[in-house]
Amino acid sequence: MKLPLLSLFLMTTFSCAHHGEKVLSRMDGKDEKPKWATLSQTMFKKSGRIYALGFVDLPVDSRLSAAMKISDNNARYEVSREVQDDMAFIFQNVQEDIADSGQLTRFYGTEVSKNLLSGVKTEKRYWEKMQTFDENGDKSFRLRVYSLVSIKEGDLKKAIKRALDKGKGISPEIKKKIDDHMAREIQRLGEG
């Protein structure tokens, strides 16, 4: 008896919370949110480009220009974070003596990020002002901003190669493993 009551309570709570959100206004008077503006897939590949989604949720009275910059930066960070996570994975799993894989991960992640900056292009932006409810059930008004950035797949690979060519503390075999792994990860993104 307790399980069905708990299930009913949870369904009602989540149902009300979801239905309680209401769009007050959208960018350029759009009728609906664009399909790309979803948090279900923050990175994908399409037509030789790697795309990353940035998102920020702020109080509705926040400056829109600042919110867009934050969202753009979050999208760029998504690309950098993916590269750093992949490098950390490789360094943790290699069979060679690497004294401090964390330091190497940070170094190469930073180098790749520096090389990427010029190649990342802001493709699209979207914002919406929402009426929602906070954790206490009080009305809350939010500004949600989405940014879509992209980089050519080849430029991402070149940035990784340039960082690896600086060669601080890793062997040519490890460089090859990183290069191969990153190529597989880019391929894994598939077409969006």
Side-chain angles (χ1 to χ4, degrees):
M1 181 67 175
K2 287 183 183 180
L3 187 58
L5 287 176
L6 178 62
S7 296
L8 180 62
F9 171 76
L10 290 173
M11 283 182 2
T12 304
T13 301
F14 289 116
S15 175
C16 291
H18 176 70
H19 292 294
E21 287 194 343
K22 181 169 73 171
V23 177
L24 301 174
S25 63
R26 290 188 165 100
M27 180 177 186
D28 298 332
K30 294 186 183 290
D31 292 332
E32 60 186 36
K33 180 161 94 175
K35 290 182 181 180
W36 62 264
T38 177
L39 298 178
S40 65
Q41 186 179 19
T42 58
M43 286 191 76
F44 61 93
K45 184 172 75 170
K46 184 176 182 181
S47 302
R49 295 189 77 84
I50 306 296
Y51 291 85
L53 179 75
F55 172 76
V56 66
D57 182 333
L58 299 168
V60 76
D61 59 351
S62 300
R63 278 192 11 243
L64 182 58
S65 60
M68 285 187 174
K69 286 179 185 176
I70 293 168
S71 182
D72 289 353
N73 286 336
N74 287 345
R76 285 180 178 86
Y77 174 74
E78 187 70 21
V79 176
S80 275
R81 184 197 54 77
E82 185 71 26
V83 169
Q84 286 186 2
D85 287 352
D86 286 337
M87 287 189 174
F89 172 81
I90 294 163
F91 286 135
Q92 289 168 2
N93 291 297
V94 293
Q95 301 300 318
E96 286 192 20
D97 290 331
I98 296 180
D100 187 356
S101 66
Q103 186 177 7
L104 287 173
T105 299
R106 284 187 296 279
F107 171 78
Y108 285 105
T110 301
E111 288 300 312
V112 171
S113 295
K114 282 193 266 184
N115 290 321
L116 287 177
L117 287 178
S118 63
V120 175
K121 175 183 168 191
T122 302
E123 296 282 344
K124 298 178 183 183
R125 292 179 176 143
Y126 169 75
W127 61 261
E128 57 190 14
K129 294 181 179 180
M130 303 288 295
Q131 174 188 308
T132 187
F133 295 92
D134 64 18
E135 62 276 357
N136 298 321
D138 297 327
K139 277 186 184 178
S140 174
F141 298 93
R142 308 296 295 173
L143 171 64
R144 294 180 179 164
V145 179
Y146 300 81
S147 296
L148 187 66
V149 301
S150 75
I151 184 168
K152 290 180 186 173
E153 185 177 343
D155 289 348
L156 177 58
K157 289 176 181 177
K158 285 177 193 171
I160 293 165
K161 182 165 177 27
R162 278 193 302 268
L164 292 174
D165 286 346
K166 291 195 175 194
K168 299 207 181 213
I170 59 173
S171 68
E173 294 81 25
I174 301 296
K175 288 180 186 180
K176 173 111 173 74
K177 285 183 183 183
I178 292 171
D179 194 41
D180 291 347
H181 176 81
M182 295 307 292
R184 282 191 308 273
E185 286 302 301
I186 291 170
Q187 191 62 36
R188 181 187 59 84
L189 289 172
E191 294 288 320

